[in-house]
Structures are given as structure tokens and as C-alpha cells.
Amino acid sequence: MEIIRTEKLEKIYQDNGVPVKALDDVDLTINTGDYVVIAGPSGSGKTTLLNLIGALDKPTSGKIFFESEDISKKTKKELSEIRLNKLGFIFQAYNLIPVLTAIENIEFSMMLLGVPEKERTERALAIMDELEIKELADKRPNEMSGGQQQRVAVARAIVNNPTIVLADEPTANLDSKTGSNLLDLMEQMNKEKNITFVFSSHDKQVIERAKRLIILKDGRIE
Amino acid sequence: MILKIAWRNIGRNKRRSIIVLGSVVAGVIALIFMDTFMNGMMYQMLFNRVSTNISHIQIHKKGFHNNKVVKDFIPGYQSAESKIKTVKGINSVSKRVIAFGLISSATSSSGVYIYGVNPEEEKSVSIIDESLKDGEYLSGGSREIMLGQKLADKLNVSLGDKVVAMSNQIDGSIGSEVFRVVGIFKTSSSEFERTYIYIPAADAQRMLNVNDKIYEFAVITDNYENVDQIKERLITELPADFEVLTYKDLLPTLIIQMDYYKETVLIVIMIVGLALIFGIINTMLMSVFERINEFGVLMAIGMKNRKIFGMIVTEAFIIGIIGTIVGLVISMVIQWRLASVGLDLSMFSESLNSFGVGAVIYPRLDIENLLLSVISIPVITVIGALYPAYKAVKLEPVYAIRYV
């Protein structure tokens, strides 16, 4: 089943008044259960594409369909709703909320959705158990290693059962062993729970595990 | 959880939070201190005037207050006195013989208000007996006089010296009496010290040749704030040719000053608030710029702008509340101490005396103004956080996530 489809997607940035084309004529479809890696050299447009399909940015031209609905013209508030209800994000720098503990970070997005406190805690503990990070529940981000933080970030991204999880260079700040363990985990989630993952990465081990690889070069799909 | 995040964010950069908290505390202390100090000063001005010679209520024959002529004595004062004493709320009454006259010593003379009093009665409406610097209070004996330090200096007289007081009599002739200085008083008003003398009522009546006539009832009530109601009662009890004046009627300028001060409290709060707002804006902006990346993440995971806005405002509000409580506690300790020992401003005593305040100011708490300050400061901190919160919600998530 189709989750995301882009049509002639174009994104142009202004760099000191000079237009720079970050994406050019990108047509892409992502289906349920996909495990897609968008790869390409630096500046190829990977992150720009991820931001557009993640409802964080709007295209200069072209269309993005999320579950068959065109989101390219939606307001900031509407995009925020989509992100909250349908998307999970995993960032390169983990980006957990530093003043919250691991379990509070995981509960946070559920809180935004209005999930009752008791249910939030139960679901957060269950996902932490699954990801083998239950012992980190009361630790704050600065008390955890990079790998542990990224596992918490994965838990935060999937706890609301999103339609799709977008991971921007998730292994870039991790050593290869930790990165590999994290990828094992996400692969397992994809297989067992049919969670759709879209990665942007130029990490070899991420690319090697891709079920589907999209190569970007100068803003175009090769 | 928003409250939890806001609370924990305050503890994130302790130094910065302490600085903002410090400015809020300083603002609260400054506001409360200034208010209690000014309020104390105003109250002292009123208290000093009321308790030396004005009293809470004065009763005369109609017109006497504006034109103190000897013929305007109180007719049938004995029956009036009985009626006055039956009015509820009146604590004490002193009968006074008042005239304008001249006092002369061997070297100098000066125009004065002559107060002929019954010493015991006068003590119940005035603190003049407690204001003696040298000598004794009137004993009730004949030809005793008490005068102020300034007047004594001007006349170049001291205890035991003779002075002559003179005044117009009803028939236009001049009456005079010789007195011996038995007491020299010092008050917080240099004007009062220069122009008022106290002699026994009988001596004054003899000098004015008015037998046992009196010119004023000075009345002290059980609560100075109830004078208007008591005035109404007195008016209904007394004949129509009497005038009943409260201290508000007698000290209109001071009352206007006090009312004006109450109005200016709001202006002062606004000035302090404005300074505070800029401090809060500055600090909260720093806090927002430090967390741009974090706001980007919050936006990315779907946190609504109004919640981000609310979180930042809540942080400022918490600081405002804590700062207000700390400031209030410190202010209460300062107030508790100063209310008993006072604030000694002897170096400005000359100018303070000319205002009738006194060199030691006892700050006085006004609950209404205190509440105004206590409510205003947290509101002000929230106002100070509005712009930084606006800046935060205006961030583009894409830009904010990548911000380093």
C-alpha cells in the first residue's frame, strides 16, 4: 500500500540571493513495509528529500502525497498534525530532550497525542523492554552513551505506531558495532512489525542492508 | 509534562536562572520597600500633624477655622461637650482656648498661635507632653508656658525665663500676661515649633477677657479612618452654628498628597516592570537561542506552536512566582525590622522636619499595594517572555533541527 508519492518534486534554496537547486524532478513512491535507504554524496539532496517527505518543509514545486493526500500546500499547523500522528523521526544527533529521562522522552510524543498517563507509561515500558533499554528508564540523555540514546530515540519514534519512520543519518555518530546493533534492531522492527523505514545515509553498512536503495546525485534520482 | 519540562529547564542553566531570579527578587524588594517607605512617610506626616494639634476632629463655632477672631467662642460649650461625649466612637476630648497673638522676650518677639489648654485633657488628644526636650509639662499652675525649640531660639529664652504674650480682646483692646517658660518641646515639624505656644486655659481666658469661654473641642476617635461617620453623627447632635471638621478637612494638601501617592504606585510598578521586562526578554531570548535545535526537534515530533509558546511562558512564570515569593519573604524581614527600629535619615533631618515627617521613618505596609506588587511581578515576567516565546514558535523546523 502506498504511503508516500512525490511528483516532479523540486526544491530551490536561496544562497545569498543565488538560487540553488537541491532537488530536481524527483518522483518517488514509498509503500508500507518498505525499508528504503536514500543514499548519495554530501549535498546530493538526501536530507532535503527526507525533510519534504517528513512534512518538515514545503517543495518549491511538485507534489507530495501522503496516504494519497497532497500535503505540499498544507499549512504549518496541518503539517504539524501529520508529523504528530503519522511520522516518527530519528536524528543523527539523537536529539532527545535533555531535561527528560529516557522514559519521559518516549512518553512525550504520546503525551502530545493525549494518551492517558497510565497507558503512556505502560506502552513506554513495553517498548523499552522490547528494545532492551528498560534499565535506562530513569536516566537522562547526558547519562547515556550515544548508542543508548539512539535506541531511546528509536523507541520514541515508533511508540506511537507511526505510518513511517524517517531516520536521518542515524548511525553517523555511532561506532560501527553500535551502529550495526541499531540497524539490527530497526531491521527487526521492519520485519516483525512491518514498520516502514526510510533512511538517508551514506554509511556503507546502512546502504548494504537496504531492501530498496535510492541514489541521489545533484538533486536527482539516478 | 509541559510544566515538568519548564521547571527542569529553569535548572538547566543555573547561573542564568539565578540572575533572572535575582532581578525579579530585587524588583519585588525595591517595589515593596519603596511603597512601605513612602507609605510610612505619609502616615508619619499625618500622624505627627494629627497627634500634635490637629486631632481627628475639631469642633468650633461656624467660621472660626477660617477666621480666628476672639468673639467667635463656642456658645454654651458645656451642653455641647455633654453631647459630644455621648457620640459613639469618640475616645477623648480637649477644650482649647485659641487665639492669634504676639510673644515677646527681652530681645525679640514673634507672632504665635496661643493654645490655652487644660493640661490633663490635652494629654489625651495630643503627644505634646511626650515631645518635651527640656523642662516639664504644664502642671496646671498659673503663668506657665511651653514653647517650641525653634521659637525659644528665636526669642533667645530658656527654662525659667519670662516672656510676655499678648492678644486682642473682644472689645478690641490688647490683653497681655507674663509667663515663665516651664517646658521646651521639639517636634518633627519646624513650623509647629516656631508658631505654637501652650499656656493654661484659665490664663488664656483671662488674657482674652472671655471668662470661661472656649474656642475648640479637639476630638480623638477610636479609629482615624472612621472620622467621616463620626463627623456626620456630630453634625446631627450639635447646633447648626457649629462647624465640625475632620483632619481631612483641616489637612487637605496632605490628604491630596497621600491620594496622589496611591495613584503613583501604579506608575512606579510600571517603571520597575519595564526594567524587569527587558531583563526577562534578554535572558529568555538567550535561553531560546540556546535551545533552537531542541525546539526544532519538538516541532518535528509534532508539538504544537501554542504548547511551545506555553512552555516558554511557563518557565518565565515559574521564575516570576519563585522570585516574588523570595522577594516577599526578604521584604517582610526588612519590613519587620524597620517597622520597629525605623530608618534613620538624620542627615536629611532639616528637610524632613520642614515636611513634618521626622528624621526616623518607620516603613508601613499597605496590604492593597503589597498585593498589587505581588500580582504584578509574575504578570510582568510573563509579558517579558512573550517576545522570546514568539521568536521560538516562528522558527522553521528544518532550520531549527540543523541549528548548531
Side-chain angles (χ1 to χ4, degrees):
Chain A
M1 188 187 154
E2 177 192 292
I3 302 172
I4 289 169
R5 178 163 48 90
T6 68
E7 282 178 8
K8 298 188 179 309
L9 206 56
E10 187 181 68
K11 181 72 184 178
I12 299 170
Y13 291 114
Q14 294 295 322
D15 185 10
N16 289 327
V18 180
V20 177
K21 200 175 258 187
L23 283 180
D24 185 15
D25 200 21
V26 172
D27 290 332
L28 172 72
T29 305
I30 292 163
N31 298 310
T32 307
D34 269 357
Y35 193 84
V36 183
V37 177
I38 302 167
S42 291
S44 58
K46 301 187 295 290
T47 301
T48 304
L49 180 57
L50 211 64
N51 287 339
L52 289 172
I53 60 179
L56 286 167
D57 203 358
K58 289 183 186 180
T60 309
S61 66
K63 285 181 178 175
I64 307 166
F65 293 92
F66 194 101
E67 293 180 328
S68 305
E69 191 183 0
D70 185 4
I71 62 166
S72 48
K73 296 280 189 294
K74 293 228 180 249
T75 64
K76 281 175 87 172
K77 197 177 170 187
E78 288 167 333
L79 291 177
S80 173
E81 281 289 338
I82 292 170
R83 292 197 298 269
L84 177 62
N85 291 292
K86 308 276 184 180
L87 294 162
F89 286 91
I90 301 167
F91 303 98
Q92 179 180 336
Y94 332 128
N95 286 342
L96 299 176
I97 300 165
V99 292
L100 297 182
T101 61
I103 191 165
E104 286 167 347
N105 262 288
I106 297 165
E107 280 184 49
F108 189 73
S109 52
M110 286 190 277
M111 185 274 291
L112 294 176
L113 279 171
V115 178
E117 191 176 353
K118 193 172 170 226
E119 189 187 334
R120 280 198 322 242
T121 311
E122 282 170 6
R123 275 168 63 180
L125 283 171
I127 201 98
M128 289 182 96
D129 196 26
E130 212 171 326
L131 269 59
E132 297 170 355
I133 50 170
K134 213 172 175 179
E135 73 283 359
L136 302 174
D138 295 325
K139 288 194 187 304
R140 288 201 186 179
N142 62 357
E143 297 166 328
M144 292 186 266
S145 68
Q148 288 172 328
Q149 286 187 60
Q150 200 60 303
R151 275 173 179 258
V152 174
V154 171
R156 177 178 69 181
I158 64 176
V159 73
N160 277 337
N161 302 317
T163 312
I164 187 167
V165 174
L166 304 171
D168 188 11
E169 310 267 9
T171 56
N173 287 5
L174 303 175
D175 61 66
S176 58
K177 190 169 176 247
T178 314
S180 176
N181 288 341
L182 186 81
L183 290 170
D184 287 345
L185 179 76
M186 290 194 273
E187 232 176 308
Q188 188 189 341
M189 294 285 146
N190 174 250
K191 276 179 193 158
E192 291 176 4
K193 296 188 164 186
N194 205 30
I195 297 173
T196 310
F197 281 93
V198 177
F199 297 86
S200 102
S201 181
H202 46 49
D203 181 351
K204 199 178 159 194
Q205 62 175 339
V206 178
I207 295 167
E208 280 172 356
R209 289 166 184 249
K211 283 186 189 171
R212 194 173 140 209
L213 184 64
I214 297 166
I215 307 285
L216 274 180
K217 193 178 176 190
D218 298 329
R220 298 178 73 98
I221 293 176
E222 280 203 322
Chain B
M1 197 174 278
I2 298 288
L3 192 66
K4 193 186 281 182
I5 296 177
W7 171 252
R8 290 185 188 168
N9 273 331
I10 292 169
R12 228 161 132 175
N13 190 331
K14 289 191 174 63
R15 191 187 299 173
R16 189 179 53 218
S17 297
I18 287 169
I19 290 171
V20 192
L21 207 60
S23 60
V24 174
V25 170
V28 173
I29 293 173
L31 269 183
I32 294 177
F33 176 75
M34 198 221 62
D35 181 55
T36 54
F37 178 80
M38 289 300 288
N39 199 30
M41 198 159 87
M42 292 291 172
Y43 178 78
Q44 269 173 248
M45 281 166 79
L46 179 66
F47 175 80
N48 291 340
R49 292 300 310 275
V50 163
S51 56
T52 44
N53 69 320
I54 296 293
S55 67
H56 291 168
I57 295 173
Q58 292 182 2
I59 301 162
H60 315 117
K61 186 182 177 189
K62 199 161 258 174
F64 182 78
H65 173 61
N66 288 331
N67 185 18
K68 291 182 174 54
V69 292
V70 192
K71 66 177 174 60
D72 281 344
F73 51 81
I74 295 174
Y77 78 86
Q78 292 91 342
S79 88
E81 185 178 13
S82 323
K83 285 177 184 165
I84 292 166
K85 285 182 174 170
T86 59
V87 171
K88 199 179 162 207
I90 287 178
N91 269 3
S92 46
V93 181
S94 175
K95 299 183 285 294
R96 289 169 173 167
V97 180
I98 297 176
F100 186 73
L102 191 74
I103 186 166
S104 307
S105 67
T107 56
S108 181
S109 60
S110 185
V112 287
Y113 281 107
I114 301 163
Y115 269 42
V117 297
N118 174 328
E120 283 310 306
E121 273 184 1
E122 187 64 18
K123 265 178 12 183
S124 67
V125 300
S126 158
I127 56 163
I128 196 68
D129 57 313
E130 297 163 19
S131 310
L132 282 170
K133 181 176 167 279
D134 289 314
E136 303 286 332
Y137 183 59
L138 299 176
S139 68
S142 186
R143 300 186 185 284
E144 291 177 343
I145 187 167
M146 281 193 330
L147 40 82
Q149 179 68 58
K150 300 268 180 206
L151 183 59
D153 292 343
K154 187 180 176 188
L155 298 174
N156 195 22
V157 295
S158 54
L159 290 179
D161 287 350
K162 282 182 183 172
V163 290
V164 175
M166 57 183 82
S167 181
N168 275 340
Q169 295 181 336
I170 290 183
D171 60 6
S173 57
I174 301 290
S176 65
E177 292 286 334
V178 177
F179 295 92
R180 192 171 295 279
V181 178
V182 295
I184 294 175
F185 57 80
K186 186 152 182 62
T187 68
S188 54
S189 165
S190 42
E191 172 69 13
F192 186 80
E193 270 182 44
R194 257 193 295 269
T195 48
Y196 287 79
I197 61 168
Y198 285 81
I199 58 173
D203 290 350
Q205 286 160 340
R206 190 172 59 247
M207 185 170 70
L208 300 176
N209 194 21
V210 290
N211 299 322
D212 65 343
K213 303 287 187 296
I214 66 145
Y215 292 81
E216 178 177 286
F217 288 111
V219 175
I220 292 292
T221 63
D222 54 7
N223 184 349
Y224 76 101
E225 286 172 345
N226 295 338
V227 289
D228 292 327
Q229 293 97 298
I230 294 171
K231 176 182 174 177
E232 291 308 313
R233 282 179 223 144
L234 284 166
I235 287 172
T236 56
E237 287 290 329
L238 295 170
D241 59 341
F242 279 49
E243 65 184 9
V244 181
L245 303 166
T246 69
Y247 67 89
K248 295 178 189 175
D249 305 316
L250 297 160
L251 300 168
T253 316
L254 183 56
I255 301 302
I256 289 168
Q257 246 179 307
M258 292 176 85
D259 288 345
Y260 174 75
Y261 168 67
K262 281 192 176 171
E263 301 293 323
T264 56
V265 168
L266 269 179
I267 296 170
V268 174
I269 288 178
M270 278 167 66
I271 293 168
V272 173
L274 205 63
L276 209 56
I277 281 173
F278 281 107
I280 303 278
I281 288 176
N282 186 33
T283 317
M284 293 305 290
L285 267 182
M286 278 199 293
S287 168
V288 165
F289 286 138
E290 219 171 63
R291 291 186 281 158
I292 286 179
N293 177 268
E294 205 174 304
F295 291 127
V297 174
L298 292 173
M299 288 169 175
I301 62 178
M303 192 170 182
K304 302 254 177 11
N305 280 351
R306 65 181 162 81
K307 287 202 168 166
I308 293 174
F309 192 91
M311 186 175 76
I312 296 167
V313 169
T314 305
E315 283 176 34
F317 185 66
I318 292 172
I319 290 176
I321 292 284
I322 295 173
T324 303
I325 293 170
V326 174
L328 188 63
V329 169
I330 296 172
S331 296
M332 288 304 102
V333 172
I334 295 171
Q335 165 65 20
W336 171 74
R337 180 76 186 138
L338 289 183
S340 57
V341 299
L343 190 64
D344 192 347
L345 298 176
S346 304
M347 67 179 93
F348 309 114
S349 61
E350 274 301 314
S351 52
L352 288 169
N353 280 347
S354 64
F355 281 107
V357 181
V360 180
I361 309 284
Y362 296 88
R364 189 179 156 88
L365 211 57
D366 180 305
I367 297 297
E368 206 176 297
N369 288 352
L370 182 76
L371 282 177
L372 196 61
S373 306
V374 166
I375 293 167
S376 311
I377 297 291
V379 172
I380 285 165
T381 54
V382 167
I383 293 171
L386 294 180
Y387 178 65
Y390 170 79
K391 290 292 278 185
V393 299
K394 282 289 160 193
L395 288 167
E396 287 295 333
V398 173
Y399 157 80
I401 291 169
R402 305 253 156 241
Y403 189 85
V404 183

